[in-house]
């Protein structure tokens, strides 16, 4: 008789081999900083090619408040709870970047039509933790839920972590995860229990990034360039790693999925580098740059040098391929990272961006391309913006892409994106030799939404994915 298990999969390779093919996905859609003065909403999109509603939004769940700026999402339970048969992945967690509300979404009762189960107000979050401007959510093996916070309620940078009680679907704010102190800035985090470590990254002070990007704010120290290493059991910070000018604005951070691995990657957005972090022989952590995306000399743009702006990164569940998006240059890249110190470029595709031939930008010097890429049209409409959030299917064969970064920066860098709405696209992947091909049969145009053009952001599968789930060493034996 089979033993009952918790949510997710015993191992990342088990998820890759045995995971169900995605049929629907969830993604938040934002109206803040657009002409539509309506609440953000959670869209359910049909991604099953066998379905009559394939490549369509089949449900919209509006939030009860305006100007939340829904951003990233996570789960109440994932593969880290695989050994607990009492745990269920039945709530999608939607923390708000601007309002600091937390929405708990019921995706169990009717998965294709989610509903709001609970709202945690920002006053409760701030009073119990002193934190605001919420970002990354990860479920913990204990049953609790952890959310990174970027601010102090006054617009200042204050990196900390919020703990929610996840057991019995109570979802009360317990308080702070960190036992002592905070860090100047915060953004993403990933924990690795086998090495008793968590590493967090940095964006900047909310009073800087919420109003739009100003290079002077970088010079004035309002954006980050460090990683922070934490003792996972004691909840204390044990090391700061200053990445210097090669690591300006380190955003998304990913350990290798293999649960004993002592290394991973972080994408430095403004420097447009991929930086490998790793554990040294003396037990401390160190970094090295392994991929460098050169800036392009341009005219007709805000600055004379245009960075790629790496805004999202992913690792396939077998840790073979690293994917990332260059939101400004407009391309997605696929690297073979079998040798983590020497990644090999094996796939690249352009899906919009700021340097297309029909833009006002003229590239004066480019060490990679011999000509500017063509704009992308889908169903007769030009795709505005550039590839931003990416999500990989469990089997590693399909990459889903959305084009909105953050409404304030969308408005600044891609005004057409705000006016016309974002897109969701799908790229087919050669998992043997590497290679990326756009699926011309899949396109969700969020410019056609009933309440007006929307900005769609992070993509989640109901059963978990390679950026939501973290694996434990002991579950491999179950």
């Amino acid at each position: 008789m089979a033993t009952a298990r918790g949510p997710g999969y015993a191992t990342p390779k088990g998820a890759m081999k045995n995971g169900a093919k995605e049929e629907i996905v969830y993604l938040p859609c934002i109206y803040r900083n657009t002409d539509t003065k309506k609440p953000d909403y959670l869209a359910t999109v049909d991604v099953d090619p066998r379905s009559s509603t394939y490549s369509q939004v089949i449900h919209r769940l509006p939030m009860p408040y305006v100007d939340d700026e829904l951003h990233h999402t996570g789960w109440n339970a994932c593969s880290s709870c695989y050994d607990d048969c009492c745990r269920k992945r039945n709530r999608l967690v939607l923390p708000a970047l601007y309002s600091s509300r937390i929405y708990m979404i019921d995706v169990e009762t009717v998965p294709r039509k989610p509903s709001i189960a609970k709202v945690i107000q920002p006053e409760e979050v701030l009073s119990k933790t002193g934190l605001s401007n919420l970002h990354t959510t990860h479920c913990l093996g204990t049953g609790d839920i952890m959310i990174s916070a970027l601010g102090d309620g006054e617009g200042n940078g204050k990196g900390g972590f919020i703990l929610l009680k996840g057991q019995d679907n109570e979802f009360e704010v317990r308080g702070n995860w960190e036992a002592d102190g905070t860090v100047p800035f915060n953004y993403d985090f990933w924990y690795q229990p086998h090495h008793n470590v968590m590493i967090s990254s940095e964006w900047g002070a909310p009073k800087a990034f919420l109003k739009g990007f100003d290079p002077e704010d970088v010079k004035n120290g309002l954006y980050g360039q460090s990683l922070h290493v934490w003792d996972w059991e004691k909840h204390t910070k044990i090391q700061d790693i200053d990445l210097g000018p090669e690591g300006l604005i380190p955003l998304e951070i990913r350990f290798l999925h293999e649960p004993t691995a002592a290394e991973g990657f972080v994408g430095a957005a403004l420097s447009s580098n991929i930086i490998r972090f790793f554990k040294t022989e003396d037990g401390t952590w160190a970094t090295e740059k392994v991929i460098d995306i050169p800036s392009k000399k341009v005219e007709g743009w805000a600055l004379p040098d245009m960075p790629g702006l790496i805004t999202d990164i992913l690792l396939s569940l077998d840790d073979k391929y690293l994917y990332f998006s260059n939101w400004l240059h407009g391309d997605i890249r696929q690297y073979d990272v079998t040798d983590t110190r020497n990644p090999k470029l094996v796939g690249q595709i352009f899906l919009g961006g700021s340097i297309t031939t029909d833009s006002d930008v003229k590239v004066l010097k480019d060490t990679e391309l011999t000509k500017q890429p063509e704009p992308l049209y889908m169903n007769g409409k030009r795709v505005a913006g550039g590839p931003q959030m990416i999500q990989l299917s469990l089997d590693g064969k399909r990459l889903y892409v959305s084009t909105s970064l953050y409404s304030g920066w969308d408005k600044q860098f891609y005004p057409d994106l705000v006016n016309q709405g974002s897109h969701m696209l799908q790229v087919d992947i050669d998992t043997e030799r590497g290679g990326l091909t756009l699926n011309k049969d899949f396109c969700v145009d969020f410019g056609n939404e009933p309440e007006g053009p929307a900005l769609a952001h992070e993509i989640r599968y109901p059963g978990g994915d390679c950026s939501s789930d973290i694996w434990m060493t002991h579950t491999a034996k179950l």
Side-chain angles (χ1 to χ4, degrees), residues 2-8 77-78 80-89 141 478:
T3 303
R5 301 299 183 201
C78 69
S80 65
C81 308
Y82 183 75
D83 60 341
D84 185 349
C85 64
C86 296
R87 304 286 294 145
K88 292 196 296 183
R89 191 196 307 260
L478 298 178

Side-chain angles (χ1 to χ4, degrees), residues 71-72 95-98 100 125 129-137 147-162 178 182-189 200-210 222-223 249-251 406:
H71 199 60
H72 285 212
L97 181 63
Y98 185 73
S100 303
V125 173
T129 66
L131 298 170
S132 64
N133 306 103
L134 312 183
H135 194 268
T136 298
T137 300
I147 304 174
S148 64
L150 284 62
D152 64 353
E154 300 294 332
N156 302 305
K158 182 182 181 183
F161 303 90
I162 297 164
E178 63 275 13
T182 58
V183 291
F185 307 112
N186 202 6
Y187 186 74
D188 198 18
F189 70 98
S200 60
S201 62
E202 297 185 333
W203 187 2
K207 64 184 177 183
F209 66 73
L210 286 176
L222 293 177
Y223 284 94
I249 313 184
L251 295 181
Y406 154 65

Side-chain angles (χ1 to χ4, degrees), residues 264-386:
F265 302 96
V266 63
L270 190 57
S271 302
S272 298
N273 296 320
I274 296 295
I275 294 171
R276 172 180 172 259
F277 60 87
F278 56 96
K279 190 175 184 180
T280 66
E281 292 183 358
D282 66 5
T284 60
W285 293 77
T287 61
E288 61 178 351
K289 181 179 71 173
V290 292
I291 300 172
D292 187 341
I293 305 302
S295 295
K296 301 181 189 298
K297 294 285 185 182
V298 297
E299 65 178 17
W301 195 66
L303 298 169
D305 294 283
M306 182 189 290
L309 207 73
I310 297 173
T311 50
D312 198 12
I313 69 172
L314 288 177
L315 281 164
S316 59
L317 288 176
D318 57 1
D319 293 326
K320 180 179 179 180
Y321 293 120
L322 171 73
Y323 300 88
F324 62 83
S325 54
N326 287 307
W327 189 57
L328 291 178
H329 288 179
D331 61 315
I332 291 176
R333 302 192 183 203
Q334 176 192 26
Y335 283 80
D336 186 326
V337 290
T338 304
D339 179 355
T340 56
R341 299 195 66 183
N342 296 286
K344 179 183 178 183
L345 180 64
V346 294
Q348 183 179 23
I349 188 170
F350 280 84
L351 303 172
S354 294
I355 60 168
T356 54
T357 54
D358 64 344
S359 73
D360 295 329
V361 176
K362 180 180 180 181
V363 178
L364 304 177
K365 182 179 180 181
D366 192 329
T367 59
E368 293 187 312
L369 303 178
T370 57
K371 61 179 181 178
Q372 295 180 224
E374 296 295 325
L376 175 64
Y377 284 82
M378 294 294 286
N379 299 327
K381 180 179 177 181
R382 185 183 187 278
V383 174

Side-chain angles (χ1 to χ4, degrees), residues 5 53 61 64 76 91 235 283 318 348 383 397:
R5 301 299 183 201
T53 53
L61 174 65
N76 67 312
R91 296 292 185 268
H235 303 189
D318 57 1
Q348 183 179 23
V383 174
K397 296 180 179 180

Side-chain angles (χ1 to χ4, degrees), residues 211-231:
K211 65 180 175 61
F213 179 72
D214 184 347
E216 289 300 313
D217 288 335
V218 179
K219 297 178 183 178
N220 293 331
L222 293 177
Y223 284 94
Q225 60 179 49
S226 296
L227 300 182
H228 304 285
V229 184
W230 303 77
D231 184 301

Side-chain angles (χ1 to χ4, degrees), residues 9-27:
Y9 302 87
T11 66
K13 289 187 177 180
M16 190 173 193
K17 181 180 179 181
N18 304 315
K21 185 177 180 180
E22 68 281 0
E23 296 181 354
I24 59 172
V25 298
Y26 304 121
L27 67 168

